[in-house]
Amino acid sequence: MAVTIKEVAALAGVSPSTVSRTCKDNPSISEETKEKVRRAMAQLGYEPGFSSQAVPSQPQTARTIGIILPPSQKETYENSFYLEAIRGISQFCGHRQYINTVITGQDEDELLRVIQTLVRGNQVDSFILLYSRQQDPVMDYLYSEGLLYVLIGKAYQYANQTIYIDNDNLLAGQEATEYLIRLGHRKIAYLGSDSSLMFSADRKAGYQTALSLHQISQRPGYCLEVPSVPKEGSGQLHSLLKGPDRPTAIVVSDDILAVALERVCLETGLSIPEDLSIISFNNSLLARLTSPQLTSIDVNSCQLGIEAASQIINHIENPNLLATKIIVPHHLVERDSCRAWNEGI
Protein backbone atom coordinates (compact mmCIF):
# COMPACT_ATOMS: atom_id res chain seq x y z
CA MET A 1 0.00 0.00 0.00
CA ALA A 2 1.33 3.44 -0.98
CA VAL A 3 2.51 5.75 1.80
CA THR A 4 0.19 8.76 2.23
CA ILE A 5 1.06 12.39 2.81
CA LYS A 6 -0.70 12.16 6.19
CA GLU A 7 1.67 9.42 7.32
CA VAL A 8 4.64 11.58 6.39
CA ALA A 9 3.11 14.52 8.25
CA ALA A 10 2.52 12.40 11.36
CA LEU A 11 6.12 11.12 11.41
CA ALA A 12 7.57 14.60 10.81
CA GLY A 13 5.23 16.20 13.34
CA VAL A 14 3.80 18.73 10.87
CA SER A 15 0.56 19.20 8.94
CA PRO A 16 -0.14 17.56 5.57
CA SER A 17 -0.12 21.01 3.96
CA THR A 18 3.43 21.56 5.23
CA VAL A 19 4.50 18.28 3.57
CA SER A 20 2.81 19.37 0.36
CA ARG A 21 4.55 22.75 0.35
CA THR A 22 7.90 21.13 1.16
CA CYS A 23 7.50 18.97 -1.96
CA LYS A 24 7.00 22.19 -3.93
CA ASP A 25 10.06 23.73 -2.20
CA ASN A 26 7.83 26.58 -1.06
CA PRO A 27 9.98 29.42 0.37
CA SER A 28 7.55 30.01 3.24
CA ILE A 29 8.71 26.76 4.89
CA SER A 30 11.91 27.01 6.92
CA GLU A 31 14.90 24.93 5.85
CA GLU A 32 14.87 23.17 9.23
CA THR A 33 11.27 22.04 8.71
CA LYS A 34 11.94 21.01 5.10
CA GLU A 35 14.82 18.83 6.21
CA LYS A 36 12.65 17.20 8.88
CA VAL A 37 9.96 16.45 6.29
CA ARG A 38 12.47 15.10 3.79
CA ARG A 39 13.92 12.73 6.38
CA ALA A 40 10.41 11.41 7.11
CA MET A 41 9.75 10.99 3.36
CA ALA A 42 12.98 9.03 2.93
CA GLN A 43 12.30 6.86 5.98
CA LEU A 44 8.81 5.92 4.75
CA GLY A 45 9.73 5.71 1.06
CA TYR A 46 7.18 8.38 0.13
CA GLU A 47 7.09 9.41 -3.53
CA PRO A 48 5.26 12.71 -4.12
CA GLY A 49 2.85 12.86 -7.02
CA PHE A 50 3.39 15.18 -9.97
CA SER A 51 0.90 17.73 -8.63
CA SER A 52 2.90 18.04 -5.42
CA GLN A 53 6.22 18.75 -7.11
CA ALA A 54 7.66 22.09 -8.00
CA VAL A 55 7.53 23.08 -11.66
CA PRO A 56 10.76 24.96 -12.42
CA SER A 57 9.64 26.02 -15.90
CA GLN A 58 6.77 28.03 -14.39
CA PRO A 59 8.34 30.24 -11.70
CA GLN A 60 6.03 31.99 -9.31
CA THR A 61 5.76 35.64 -10.35
CA ALA A 62 3.88 36.89 -7.30
CA ARG A 63 3.68 35.73 -3.72
CA THR A 64 0.94 36.56 -1.26
CA ILE A 65 1.73 37.79 2.24
CA GLY A 66 -1.01 37.52 4.86
CA ILE A 67 -1.37 40.51 7.20
CA ILE A 68 -2.88 39.28 10.47
CA LEU A 69 -4.88 41.72 12.58
CA PRO A 70 -5.54 40.90 16.24
CA PRO A 71 -8.88 39.20 16.87
CA SER A 72 -11.59 41.78 17.49
CA GLN A 73 -15.22 42.38 16.71
CA LYS A 74 -14.77 46.08 16.03
CA GLU A 75 -12.16 48.19 17.80
CA THR A 76 -9.09 46.94 15.92
CA TYR A 77 -10.47 48.26 12.65
CA GLU A 78 -10.84 51.74 14.14
CA ASN A 79 -7.25 51.95 15.38
CA SER A 80 -5.11 54.02 13.03
CA PHE A 81 -1.93 52.23 14.19
CA TYR A 82 -2.98 49.15 12.23
CA LEU A 83 -4.07 51.19 9.22
CA GLU A 84 -0.71 52.98 9.09
CA ALA A 85 1.22 49.71 9.48
CA ILE A 86 -0.83 48.15 6.65
CA ARG A 87 -0.11 51.22 4.51
CA GLY A 88 3.62 50.73 5.03
CA ILE A 89 3.41 47.01 4.24
CA SER A 90 1.32 47.58 1.09
CA GLN A 91 3.61 50.36 -0.10
CA PHE A 92 6.74 48.20 0.15
CA CYS A 93 5.05 45.07 -1.25
CA GLY A 94 3.78 47.04 -4.22
CA HIS A 95 7.29 48.18 -5.10
CA ARG A 96 8.55 44.59 -4.93
CA GLN A 97 5.52 43.14 -6.79
CA TYR A 98 4.22 41.10 -3.87
CA ILE A 99 0.54 40.75 -3.04
CA ASN A 100 -0.84 41.13 0.47
CA THR A 101 -4.17 40.17 2.00
CA VAL A 102 -5.63 41.25 5.35
CA ILE A 103 -6.73 38.44 7.67
CA THR A 104 -9.24 39.11 10.45
CA GLY A 105 -11.46 37.27 12.89
CA GLN A 106 -13.91 38.10 15.65
CA ASP A 107 -12.05 35.86 18.09
CA GLU A 108 -8.92 33.68 18.22
CA ASP A 109 -10.72 30.55 17.04
CA GLU A 110 -12.16 32.23 13.95
CA LEU A 111 -8.85 33.92 13.13
CA LEU A 112 -6.97 30.64 13.41
CA ARG A 113 -9.50 28.82 11.19
CA VAL A 114 -9.11 31.44 8.46
CA ILE A 115 -5.32 31.17 8.57
CA GLN A 116 -5.41 27.38 8.47
CA THR A 117 -7.76 27.45 5.47
CA LEU A 118 -5.42 29.80 3.57
CA VAL A 119 -2.41 27.62 4.39
CA ARG A 120 -4.13 24.38 3.37
CA GLY A 121 -5.13 25.94 0.08
CA ASN A 122 -1.59 27.24 -0.58
CA GLN A 123 -3.10 30.72 -0.96
CA VAL A 124 -0.65 32.48 1.38
CA ASP A 125 3.11 32.02 1.48
CA SER A 126 3.99 33.93 4.64
CA PHE A 127 2.53 36.18 7.31
CA ILE A 128 3.01 39.48 9.12
CA LEU A 129 1.39 39.67 12.55
CA LEU A 130 0.46 43.25 13.45
CA TYR A 131 0.40 42.49 17.17
CA SER A 132 2.24 40.56 19.85
CA ARG A 133 0.53 39.03 22.86
CA GLN A 134 1.39 36.46 25.48
CA GLN A 135 0.37 32.82 24.86
CA ASP A 136 -0.92 33.46 21.34
CA PRO A 137 -2.37 30.35 19.60
CA VAL A 138 -1.90 31.97 16.17
CA MET A 139 1.83 32.30 16.68
CA ASP A 140 1.93 28.78 18.14
CA TYR A 141 0.37 27.49 14.93
CA LEU A 142 2.68 29.43 12.61
CA TYR A 143 5.74 28.32 14.53
CA SER A 144 4.72 24.67 14.83
CA GLU A 145 3.98 24.48 11.09
CA GLY A 146 7.37 25.95 10.19
CA LEU A 147 5.70 28.86 8.40
CA LEU A 148 7.57 32.08 7.73
CA TYR A 149 6.23 35.00 9.74
CA VAL A 150 7.33 38.45 10.88
CA LEU A 151 6.03 40.00 14.07
CA ILE A 152 5.36 43.69 14.66
CA GLY A 153 6.03 43.87 18.38
CA LYS A 154 8.37 42.10 20.79
CA ALA A 155 8.27 38.32 20.69
CA TYR A 156 7.01 36.72 23.90
CA GLN A 157 7.55 33.13 22.80
CA TYR A 158 10.09 31.64 20.36
CA ALA A 159 12.01 34.92 20.64
CA ASN A 160 15.28 33.57 19.26
CA GLN A 161 13.58 32.09 16.18
CA THR A 162 11.21 34.99 15.47
CA ILE A 163 11.80 37.89 13.09
CA TYR A 164 10.34 40.94 14.78
CA ILE A 165 10.09 44.69 14.27
CA ASP A 166 9.38 46.83 17.29
CA ASN A 167 9.87 50.10 19.14
CA ASP A 168 11.68 50.23 22.45
CA ASN A 169 8.37 50.56 24.26
CA LEU A 170 9.92 50.30 27.71
CA LEU A 171 12.14 53.31 26.95
CA ALA A 172 9.21 55.15 25.35
CA GLY A 173 7.09 54.61 28.47
CA GLN A 174 9.94 55.81 30.64
CA GLU A 175 10.51 58.93 28.52
CA ALA A 176 6.80 59.81 28.50
CA THR A 177 6.70 59.62 32.29
CA GLU A 178 9.93 61.58 32.71
CA TYR A 179 8.50 64.32 30.49
CA LEU A 180 5.70 64.77 33.02
CA ILE A 181 8.16 64.62 35.91
CA ARG A 182 10.20 67.45 34.33
CA LEU A 183 7.00 69.50 34.20
CA GLY A 184 6.73 69.14 37.98
CA HIS A 185 4.16 66.32 38.23
CA ARG A 186 4.50 63.78 41.00
CA LYS A 187 0.98 62.32 41.09
CA ILE A 188 1.23 60.45 37.79
CA ALA A 189 -1.15 57.62 36.89
CA TYR A 190 -1.05 55.08 34.07
CA LEU A 191 -3.93 53.98 31.83
CA GLY A 192 -3.17 51.09 29.50
CA SER A 193 -4.51 48.25 27.43
CA ASP A 194 -4.46 44.66 28.63
CA SER A 195 -0.91 43.73 29.68
CA SER A 196 -1.13 40.50 27.66
CA LEU A 197 -0.33 42.83 24.74
CA MET A 198 3.44 43.20 24.79
CA PHE A 199 3.58 46.89 23.82
CA SER A 200 1.28 47.84 26.69
CA ALA A 201 3.17 45.70 29.19
CA ASP A 202 6.45 47.37 28.20
CA ARG A 203 5.04 50.92 28.32
CA LYS A 204 3.67 50.20 31.78
CA ALA A 205 7.07 48.85 32.86
CA GLY A 206 8.72 52.02 31.50
CA TYR A 207 6.29 54.16 33.51
CA GLN A 208 7.12 52.20 36.66
CA THR A 209 10.86 52.43 35.94
CA ALA A 210 10.70 56.23 35.64
CA LEU A 211 8.85 56.56 38.95
CA SER A 212 11.39 54.33 40.65
CA LEU A 213 14.40 56.18 39.19
CA HIS A 214 13.00 59.49 40.46
CA GLN A 215 12.05 58.01 43.84
CA ILE A 216 8.34 58.62 43.32
CA SER A 217 6.07 56.07 44.97
CA GLN A 218 3.40 54.46 42.82
CA ARG A 219 0.13 55.29 44.56
CA PRO A 220 -2.59 52.67 45.10
CA GLY A 221 -5.16 52.63 42.30
CA TYR A 222 -3.01 54.75 39.98
CA CYS A 223 -2.34 51.97 37.46
CA LEU A 224 -5.43 51.04 35.42
CA GLU A 225 -5.56 48.44 32.65
CA VAL A 226 -8.65 47.99 30.51
CA PRO A 227 -9.40 45.27 27.91
CA SER A 228 -11.23 47.72 25.63
CA VAL A 229 -12.04 51.41 25.27
CA PRO A 230 -14.02 52.46 28.39
CA LYS A 231 -17.67 53.22 27.78
CA GLU A 232 -19.45 56.31 29.07
CA GLY A 233 -19.66 56.45 32.81
CA SER A 234 -16.59 54.24 33.32
CA GLY A 235 -16.50 53.46 37.03
CA GLN A 236 -12.73 52.95 37.31
CA LEU A 237 -11.79 56.19 35.62
CA HIS A 238 -14.47 58.19 37.44
CA SER A 239 -13.25 56.84 40.77
CA LEU A 240 -9.66 57.74 39.91
CA LEU A 241 -10.45 61.29 38.77
CA LYS A 242 -12.96 62.11 41.49
CA GLY A 243 -10.90 60.78 44.40
CA PRO A 244 -9.34 63.10 47.00
CA ASP A 245 -5.87 62.00 45.90
CA ARG A 246 -6.49 62.22 42.16
CA PRO A 247 -3.52 62.35 39.76
CA THR A 248 -2.37 65.56 38.12
CA ALA A 249 -1.10 63.70 35.04
CA ILE A 250 -1.71 60.39 33.25
CA VAL A 251 0.42 58.37 30.85
CA VAL A 252 -1.94 56.63 28.40
CA SER A 253 -0.78 53.69 26.26
CA ASP A 254 -2.75 54.66 23.13
CA ASP A 255 -4.36 57.76 21.59
CA ILE A 256 -7.76 56.05 21.46
CA LEU A 257 -7.69 55.49 25.22
CA ALA A 258 -6.54 59.09 25.68
CA VAL A 259 -9.58 60.36 23.77
CA ALA A 260 -11.82 58.21 26.00
CA LEU A 261 -10.05 59.71 29.01
CA GLU A 262 -10.71 63.23 27.72
CA ARG A 263 -14.40 62.36 27.55
CA VAL A 264 -14.36 61.21 31.17
CA CYS A 265 -12.66 64.47 32.13
CA LEU A 266 -15.55 66.37 30.57
CA GLU A 267 -18.03 64.22 32.52
CA THR A 268 -16.21 64.90 35.80
CA GLY A 269 -15.67 68.63 35.20
CA LEU A 270 -11.87 68.48 34.84
CA SER A 271 -10.07 70.73 32.36
CA ILE A 272 -7.09 69.59 30.26
CA PRO A 273 -4.32 70.56 30.93
CA GLU A 274 -5.29 72.91 33.77
CA ASP A 275 -6.48 70.08 36.05
CA LEU A 276 -4.95 67.06 34.33
CA SER A 277 -2.08 66.59 31.88
CA ILE A 278 -2.28 63.72 29.39
CA ILE A 279 0.49 62.14 27.30
CA SER A 280 -0.26 59.22 24.98
CA PHE A 281 1.20 57.08 22.19
CA ASN A 282 0.97 56.63 18.41
CA ASN A 283 0.57 60.29 17.35
CA SER A 284 -2.47 59.34 15.30
CA LEU A 285 -4.97 61.63 13.59
CA LEU A 286 -7.00 61.51 16.80
CA ALA A 287 -4.16 63.22 18.68
CA ARG A 288 -4.42 66.19 16.31
CA LEU A 289 -8.22 66.36 16.20
CA THR A 290 -8.87 66.53 19.94
CA SER A 291 -9.19 69.78 21.83
CA PRO A 292 -6.71 70.37 23.28
CA GLN A 293 -4.46 68.44 20.91
CA LEU A 294 -2.66 65.54 22.55
CA THR A 295 1.03 65.39 23.36
CA SER A 296 1.93 61.96 22.00
CA ILE A 297 4.84 59.59 21.37
CA ASP A 298 5.10 58.93 17.63
CA VAL A 299 6.07 55.25 17.14
CA ASN A 300 6.43 55.58 13.34
CA SER A 301 3.64 53.09 12.57
CA CYS A 302 4.07 53.26 8.79
CA GLN A 303 7.81 52.62 9.11
CA LEU A 304 7.12 49.57 11.28
CA GLY A 305 5.03 48.21 8.40
CA ILE A 306 7.70 49.02 5.81
CA GLU A 307 10.39 47.28 7.86
CA ALA A 308 8.16 44.23 8.40
CA ALA A 309 7.49 43.91 4.67
CA SER A 310 11.17 44.40 3.87
CA GLN A 311 12.22 41.67 6.28
CA ILE A 312 9.65 39.09 5.20
CA ILE A 313 10.46 39.55 1.52
CA ASN A 314 14.18 39.38 2.31
CA HIS A 315 13.65 36.07 4.14
CA ILE A 316 11.41 34.71 1.38
CA GLU A 317 14.10 35.40 -1.21
CA ASN A 318 16.97 34.34 1.09
CA PRO A 319 15.51 31.47 3.16
CA ASN A 320 18.72 30.67 5.05
CA LEU A 321 18.92 34.04 6.82
CA LEU A 322 18.86 34.09 10.60
CA ALA A 323 15.94 35.68 12.42
CA THR A 324 16.31 39.47 12.52
CA LYS A 325 15.33 41.93 15.28
CA ILE A 326 14.84 45.58 14.27
CA ILE A 327 14.04 48.52 16.57
CA VAL A 328 12.31 51.52 14.95
CA PRO A 329 12.93 54.80 16.81
CA HIS A 330 10.17 56.85 18.44
CA HIS A 331 9.94 60.56 19.18
CA LEU A 332 7.89 62.91 21.33
CA VAL A 333 5.46 65.35 19.72
CA GLU A 334 4.60 68.15 22.16
CA ARG A 335 1.16 69.72 21.95
CA ASP A 336 -1.31 71.30 24.37
CA SER A 337 -2.47 68.46 26.65
CA CYS A 338 0.37 68.87 29.18
CA ARG A 339 1.38 71.81 31.35
CA ALA A 340 3.85 72.62 34.08
CA TRP A 341 2.60 71.83 37.60
CA ASN A 342 3.48 72.64 41.14
CA GLU A 343 1.69 71.46 44.25
CA GLY A 344 0.90 75.03 45.27
CA ILE A 345 -1.51 75.57 42.37
Side-chain angles (χ1 to χ4, degrees):
M1 181 183 251
V3 177
T4 68
I5 198 170
K6 289 185 179 180
E7 290 173 296
V8 175
L11 180 60
V14 298
S15 70
S17 62
T18 298
V19 176
S20 174
R21 283 177 290 120
T22 296
C23 294
K24 297 175 184 177
D25 200 25
N26 191 301
S28 68
I29 306 299
S30 70
E31 289 302 311
E32 182 181 358
T33 300
K34 286 179 182 176
E35 186 58 33
K36 183 167 60 174
V37 171
R38 286 165 184 155
R39 284 198 300 268
M41 290 167 62
Q43 183 177 334
L44 294 173
Y46 176 74
E47 293 291 339
F50 177 78
S51 61
S52 297
Q53 299 179 36
V55 185
S57 61
Q58 296 180 353
Q60 190 174 16
T61 57
R63 297 183 178 94
T64 301
I65 297 169
I67 304 173
I68 304 175
L69 283 163
S72 173
Q73 294 190 358
K74 181 179 180 184
E75 288 172 4
T76 292
Y77 317 119
E78 298 172 346
N79 191 324
S80 65
F81 170 83
Y82 299 113
L83 298 178
E84 281 293 294
I86 291 170
R87 182 168 73 89
I89 293 167
S90 299
Q91 175 182 315
F92 193 91
C93 286
H95 289 321
R96 297 290 292 272
Q97 296 184 315
Y98 277 72
I99 298 168
N100 54 73
T101 183
V102 175
I103 303 169
T104 66
Q106 294 190 51
D107 52 40
E108 288 180 339
D109 290 340
E110 181 179 333
L111 181 60
L112 192 54
R113 284 196 302 272
V114 172
I115 294 168
Q116 290 170 334
T117 298
L118 292 170
V119 170
R120 283 195 297 268
N122 289 323
Q123 298 175 60
V124 176
D125 294 308
S126 50
F127 298 88
I128 297 174
L129 283 86
L130 297 186
Y131 67 96
S132 175
R133 69 169 71 243
Q134 300 177 20
Q135 309 299 336
D136 182 25
V138 170
M139 184 179 288
D140 286 339
Y141 169 74
L142 297 178
Y143 180 80
S144 65
E145 292 296 303
L147 295 163
L148 176 61
Y149 66 91
V150 169
L151 181 67
I152 292 184
K154 186 171 72 176
Y156 177 77
Q157 60 237 71
Y158 322 121
N160 202 43
Q161 295 82 37
T162 297
I163 308 160
Y164 67 83
I165 318 296
D166 198 13
N167 307 111
D168 188 337
N169 283 299
L170 195 152
L171 179 61
Q174 180 180 333
E175 290 179 351
T177 308
E178 288 179 337
Y179 174 78
L180 296 172
I181 292 171
R182 289 196 300 273
L183 289 176
H185 294 277
R186 295 298 179 268
K187 296 181 177 180
I188 304 171
Y190 174 83
L191 172 63
S193 307
D194 187 343
S195 275
S196 67
L197 293 166
M198 296 303 294
F199 78 86
S200 188
D202 278 356
R203 290 171 189 173
K204 174 186 171 183
Y207 154 79
Q208 293 170 328
T209 297
L211 294 184
S212 177
L213 288 174
H214 292 269
Q215 299 181 324
I216 300 172
S217 299
Q218 184 176 317
R219 298 170 185 250
Y222 264 36
C223 197
L224 297 181
E225 293 175 285
V226 293
S228 59
V229 176
K231 301 186 184 301
E232 290 186 22
S234 169
Q236 282 183 300
L237 285 176
H238 275 263
S239 297
L240 176 65
L241 297 179
K242 284 185 173 181
D245 193 34
R246 69 167 182 83
T248 63
I250 300 184
V251 177
V252 188
S253 71
D254 182 273
D255 288 341
I256 293 178
L257 283 179
V259 172
L261 175 61
E262 285 192 335
R263 185 192 65 224
V264 176
C265 287
L266 286 173
E267 295 169 359
T268 54
L270 295 178
S271 297
I272 303 168
E274 289 77 16
D275 299 316
L276 184 74
S277 290
I278 299 174
I279 184 170
S280 63
F281 289 81
N282 291 348
N283 191 35
S284 65
L285 179 62
L286 288 175
R288 303 190 295 276
L289 292 179
T290 56
S291 181
Q293 293 184 329
L294 287 168
T295 294
S296 188
I297 302 287
D298 193 325
V299 299
N300 294 303
S301 310
C302 184
Q303 189 63 35
L304 287 167
I306 290 171
E307 295 292 346
S310 172
Q311 284 302 311
I312 202 161
I313 291 173
N314 198 19
H315 281 75
I316 287 172
E317 296 178 353
N318 303 278
N320 294 321
L321 291 177
L322 296 175
T324 311
K325 306 8 171 155
I326 293 178
I327 299 298
V328 172
H330 59 269
H331 65 276
L332 173 68
V333 181
E334 296 185 67
R335 296 196 181 92
D336 303 324
S337 64
C338 297
R339 61 164 287 187
W341 183 273
N342 68 69
E343 291 302 325
I345 294 178

